[in-house]
Amino acid sequence: AHGFWQVHPQAADAFAQVVREWADASPGARAWDLYAGVGLFASVLAEQVGPKGRVLAVESGRRAVADGRENLAGMRQVRWRCGQVEHVLRQRTDTPQVVVLDPPRKGAGRVVVEAVATAGPDRVVYVACDPAALARDVAIFGEHGYRLDKLRAFDAFPMTHHVECVALLRRA
């Protein structure tokens, strides 16, 4: 009740299904969920990597991290970090197989995109609430050898100009 959640009643399930299909993390793999909120996509990744894998969930909201830890308490493969994504990524040296990003409306931005690209995941699944910010970030990923492979748009805010998108980027 005190955090962000999608207003459309089917949005979370619809987005999670696309992330599940496109992330396709292998059992035992490492995955990152950036801007993790309360753990919707971290739970999807945790199911895919299984108990021998690892999911790093990064979220800046302390309340969301506390809720996420509670929501995913049975998934020991999920490690939570509370902090700004760009700061947490500076401390990372591991290579995830897949990264899921669900940034705020302004997008991830150059610093985060370059940090993700430098980590070298095979796939990036980007959930975006602003197509213009997504386009800018996809172009930055392109500078680092990633290409847009798939894109889906969702009318999660009927009768408004807002469109939610999910994009799959792959290393070229």
Side-chain angles (χ1 to χ4, degrees), residues 55-142:
V55 176
L56 171 67
V58 181
E59 170 58 44
S60 64
R62 292 185 191 284
R63 180 75 181 245
V65 170
D67 290 342
R69 283 184 173 135
E70 185 176 332
N71 291 340
L72 307 185
M75 297 179 158
R76 297 189 187 280
Q77 64 270 48
V78 179
R79 303 285 189 259
W80 285 89
R81 290 289 309 275
C82 186
Q84 297 292 323
V85 169
E86 55 272 24
H87 299 306
V88 173
L89 292 185
R90 283 188 202 130
Q91 303 164 6
R92 304 304 304 179
T93 59
D94 55 319
T95 300
Q97 181 187 42
V98 63
V99 173
V100 175
L101 294 108
D102 187 8
R105 189 163 301 281
K106 68 179 182 173
R110 182 168 292 278
V111 171
V112 171
V113 169
E114 289 183 345
V116 169
T118 298
D122 296 332
R123 291 176 303 289
V124 175
V125 182
Y126 192 128
V127 181
C129 56
D130 180 23
L134 173 64
R136 181 207 60 221
D137 289 348
V138 166
I140 298 168
F141 272 112

Side-chain angles (χ1 to χ4, degrees), residues 5-6 15 20 24 28 30 36 47 65 70 110 137 149 157 164 171:
W5 194 248
Q6 293 290 337
F15 301 157
R20 181 175 291 108
D24 194 28
R30 292 186 179 275
E47 289 172 2
V65 170
E70 185 176 332
R110 182 168 292 278
D137 289 348
D149 187 47
F157 306 94
E164 194 90 13
R171 276 194 307 192

